[in-house]
Amino acid sequence: MDKQTITIYDVAREANVSMATVSRVVNGNPNVKPATRQKVLKVIERLDYRPNAVARGLASKKTTTVGVVIPDITNIYFSTLARGIDDVATMYKYNIILANSDENSQKEVSTLDNLFAKQVDGLIYMGHNISDAVRAEFSRAKTPIVLAGSVDPDEQVASVNIDYKAAVKDAVALLLQKGAKKVAFISSAMNEPINGEYRLAGYNEALAEAKIPYDGNLVFETDYNFRAGAALWDKLQAVGADAAYVADDELSVGVLDGALDHGVKVPDDFQIITSNNTFLTEITRPQLSSISQPLYDIGAVAMRLLTKMMNKEAVTDKTVLLPFTIAERNSTKK
Amino acid sequence: MDKQTITIYDVAREANVSMATVSRVVNGNPNVKPATRQKVLKVIERLDYRPNAVARGLASKKTTTVGVVIPDITNIYFSTLARGIDDVATMYKYNIILANSDENSQKEVSTLDNLFAKQVDGLIYMGHNISDAVRAEFSRAKTPIVLAGSVDPDEQVASVNIDYKAAVKDAVALLLQKGAKKVAFISSAMNEPINGEYRLAGYNEALAEAKIPYDGNLVFETDYNFRAGAALWDKLQAVGADAAYVADDELSVGVLDGALDHGVKVPDDFQIITSNNTFLTEITRPQLSSISQPLYDIGAVAMRLLTKMMNKEAVTDKTVLLPFTIAERNSTKK
DNA sequence: GTGAAAGCGCTAACAC
DNA sequence: GTGTTAGCGCTTTCAC
């Protein structure tokens, strides 16, 4: 592979010092006489020496690499989280191994197995449904793990989120306050805790406070892409919905397009509020009102939390909730 | 870090064989008697042994990890490429270390340095401007490198692309054919070869064939985001443009929104053709006509090419061009 | 078909 | 402040 890799040994010999000394200067250990340090540094430069991180990892049992399991990097929600993660990782001198999981439990398990085999120092997991098999992998590993933008109902593993229930409650309450009578709830699989437990609970609370009975016909499960949203329009109209809370921005755009393409006026005849406040909410006409959650920050804070855990620092709260707001745009009435 | 990691040595002892034999069964080496293999496999399972990839990497000089340098994972263009890369990488048992560069040469250099220190077996680089410093890092490393969706005018390093010049020529020709008289050219920095050399050349050729003189006032450099596009509208109108070729989808959406917000009819009064055919082109109203390039495939093919190079297989063409088409939607006239 | 032993390139005591 | 010496956990000749 390598032609003639130069090692710490070569540097030591050329500089007339021991390997230990070279190691010290490379690692910024202060116990080196300045003159010696300079001498070594010169040789390092002359030989174009680059420390082998793999050997270092073997010897030190630290790889400065963290694993990142993500459902689909192509989804703006996740790519924004990932960007926050990577930026903070870089800040703390870590690299991330990124692996798309498609929320497929089997794929997740083999990915985790692989990541742990590679001795990642920590792991960030994104995914809305932690299967038992995945949970087993988690406990099998002795590596710190943090969830980003994903809830663990059991609160066994650390996580960074917003308060999904409160956020959806506020969102639906806004719709109701603006005159909506039949608010649809649209998300992906309800067996994902984030939907079935948190978001739906928020929806129900808002309904209850407005003394509106829950109607199961108004609850829809579908995929997170705009085609699915557009395809949903007929059903929405069939049940007489006059507004919708939607759990994903791309899906919301689909619903909006469905309405528009059928000549329905938004927000006059149909109101929409979405969940992630990505730039999609701003490019549509009308622009979409949305829950505003700090995705980049969720990723960043999750990674920061992970650095603390990897560093064995005391962590006060394993579950951190970041604040959210509601961004009122033009898919809800004034 | 680890409590009590069990090593290949533990397995060997428990199974009454040598480490070498355990190594053979773990690596699927056929030179093991089936009975022995079974015995070892049993012990591996009982002990829940997981081979340490770092140690393996040190001994074998292969990490089954490739570095991926990407300008910004948050941009759909790049995240789609990345998805193709990761899928093929997974298929060939590689992991990817993902690093955002923001197309900052300095950051790229330190990232590359880091990636090579980690002994990645190969590298995929995305970025439209290969600085001299980056080029120096490239040649310093003895690792195979492939560019994905990014051109190297010098053709020193392998790359997978579409024919940008021909694509833009076709796109602009379409605009012209549909009656446009003053077609604007909008991209990011013209000092990036992909813009200044390839795309602009295609633009010029289309103009020449239609016998329309080149007008520098119609050429705009800006950022790739929708705000920049909307902000550009006034200038576009000031120079009297009646159509635009735009190098990025998000930017195109901005231009479209700018036009719409000013009451301009698209495509009647202003036509737009964009470059990447991401789902953004389908969610807008009207939908955007676009060059259709197989982003996912570009990533996938780039990774496939890299596996060949890492495997020291013969590679016929270092530069592979994938086919493109033009998707006519509703931002160009019928 | 299997084992012994020498590294891979580095860190981390420990000694001086 | 610097050197010596074990490993880290595995692969890989080379014998047998």
Side-chain angles (χ1 to χ4, degrees), chain B residues 71-90:
Chain B
D72 181 11
I73 192 62
T74 264
N75 180 305
I76 313 170
Y77 176 86
F78 292 116
S79 65
T80 307
L81 288 172
R83 191 56 153 97
I85 292 167
D86 186 44
D87 284 357
V88 172
T90 301

Side-chain angles (χ1 to χ4, degrees), chain A residues 322-334:
Chain A
L322 261 32
F324 66 88
T325 57
I326 301 285
E328 286 189 51
R329 295 206 181 79
N330 305 320
S331 63
T332 48
K333 295 181 187 170
K334 288 295 163 200

Side-chain angles (χ1 to χ4, degrees), chain A residues 166-181 183 206-207 210 243-245 271-274 288-291 325-334:
Chain A
V168 173
K169 180 183 173 187
D170 286 3
V172 174
L174 176 69
L175 256 15
L176 263 16
Q177 174 205 326
K178 299 294 185 185
K181 300 295 178 201
V183 179
L207 250 37
Y245 157 75
Q271 300 186 77
I272 300 174
I273 189 159
T274 183
L288 294 165
S289 295
S290 178
I291 293 168
T325 57
I326 301 285
E328 286 189 51
R329 295 206 181 79
N330 305 320
S331 63
T332 48
K333 295 181 187 170
K334 288 295 163 200

Side-chain angles (χ1 to χ4, degrees), chain A residues 71-72 74-81 103 128 149 164 168 171 184-189 192 194-195 199 220-230 232 244-257 272-281 284 288-291 293 295 331, chain B residues 279 283:
Chain A
D72 181 10
T74 265
N75 180 305
I76 312 170
Y77 176 86
F78 293 116
S79 64
T80 308
L81 287 172
E103 307 224 45
H128 291 313
Y164 297 108
V168 173
F185 175 98
I186 311 176
S187 74
S188 64
E192 293 180 358
I194 190 174
N195 295 322
R199 287 172 168 151
F220 297 88
E221 288 185 51
T222 187
D223 291 334
Y224 282 167
N225 62 64
F226 81 98
R227 271 179 235 277
L232 214 62
Y245 157 75
V246 188
D248 179 81
D249 287 358
E250 198 181 320
L251 182 57
S252 286
V253 175
V255 172
L256 174 65
D257 282 351
I272 300 174
I273 189 159
T274 183
S275 297
N276 303 334
N277 202 39
T278 61
F279 79 95
L280 292 179
T281 61
T284 57
L288 294 165
S289 295
S290 178
I291 293 168
Q293 50 175 319
L295 295 178
S331 63
Chain B
F279 79 96
I283 66 175

Side-chain angles (χ1 to χ4, degrees), chain B residues 152-319:
Chain B
D152 174 20
D154 299 6
E155 297 216 356
Q156 288 178 355
V157 7
S159 68
V160 180
N161 293 293
I162 62 165
D163 183 338
Y164 298 108
K165 180 174 149 193
V168 173
K169 180 183 172 186
D170 287 2
V172 174
L174 176 69
L175 256 15
L176 261 16
Q177 174 203 327
K178 299 294 185 185
K181 299 295 178 202
K182 302 191 80 172
V183 179
F185 176 98
I186 311 176
S187 74
S188 63
M190 296 298 287
N191 68 356
E192 294 180 358
I194 190 174
N195 295 322
E197 294 184 29
Y198 298 79
R199 287 172 167 152
L200 193 60
Y203 172 76
N204 277 324
E205 276 193 14
L207 250 36
E209 288 193 2
K211 308 220 185 306
I212 296 179
Y214 171 83
D215 176 0
N217 290 321
L218 287 168
V219 175
F220 298 88
E221 288 186 51
T222 186
D223 292 334
Y224 282 167
N225 62 64
F226 80 98
R227 273 179 232 278
L232 213 61
W233 184 253
D234 287 337
K235 293 182 189 167
L236 247 17
Q237 219 154 23
V239 296
D242 61 0
Y245 157 75
V246 188
D248 180 82
D249 287 359
E250 199 181 319
L251 181 57
S252 285
V253 175
V255 173
L256 173 65
D257 283 351
L260 262 27
D261 291 350
H262 282 75
V264 173
K265 283 189 182 137
V266 177
D268 299 344
D269 301 333
F270 194 86
Q271 301 186 76
I272 300 173
I273 189 157
T274 183
S275 296
N276 304 332
N277 201 40
T278 62
F279 79 96
L280 292 179
T281 60
E282 297 188 60
I283 66 175
T284 56
R285 293 295 177 270
Q287 297 187 330
L288 294 167
S289 296
S290 178
I291 293 169
S292 175
Q293 50 176 319
L295 295 178
Y296 178 91
D297 293 349
I298 289 175
V301 170
M303 185 63 212
R304 178 66 185 103
L305 178 58
L306 186 61
T307 63
K308 284 183 185 166
M309 291 168 69
M310 292 188 295
N311 215 18
K312 300 197 189 308
E313 291 175 29
V315 171
T316 33
D317 282 310
K318 282 182 67 173
T319 303

